[in-house]
Structure formats: C-alpha cells, structure tokens
Amino acid sequence: STEPIQSGNLIGELGLLLDTRRTSTVRCFSEEAILYSLSRESWEHLTTSNPKIARFVDMIVCRYLSHRVQHASNRIFETQCLPI
C-alpha cells in the first residue's frame, strides 16, 4: 500500500522496536528532504554508550506507535470495519 508521510514522521520504527528488517520503502516527491537514518549497529552502540538517549528514542517510538494504534482504533470504531 502507499501512504503519504507528513514531515516529522517516523518510518521503519517497528523494525527498531522488534529487531526485524525494515519493510517500508520511501520515495520523496519534493525537491528537498532531510532524512535521518539509524542502523541496527548504531542503535546497539547507542544503547550501550548512552542508555539515557536510547531510552528517549524508545519513548519517541512508543509514543508514535501508540498514536498510530489510537488512530486505527478510531477508524475501526467510526466505520465499524477493519482498515485495509
């Protein structure tokens, strides 16, 4: 499926959280974009070298995912069907 991603959103956060490969493919349609990437190796290094920052990133990811779950839950409630 294809979905537009707004500025400031996360992509591939589930792979970080679940230690799986990223399943998202991203295409940029604007002339300019800033993308920050965090490899598994960099993440592992961050968790040992600076656990407070790693915990902060964890909280950002969890908060982002909880908003996505809430949005999907609201859509299911409003439409009384599962989103496809």
Side-chain angles (χ1 to χ4, degrees), residues 40-76:
R40 171 62 49 193
E41 182 179 296
S42 295
W43 172 248
E44 294 297 333
H45 177 72
L46 184 63
T47 59
T48 57
S49 67
N50 201 331
K52 287 183 180 183
I53 296 293
R55 179 65 180 141
F56 184 71
V57 172
D58 267 343
M59 292 306 297
I60 291 171
V61 169
C62 288
R63 185 169 291 139
Y64 180 75
L65 288 171
S66 70
H67 286 286
R68 286 183 50 193
V69 167
Q70 184 64 50
H71 177 72
S73 177
N74 289 344
R75 282 181 42 201
I76 292 168

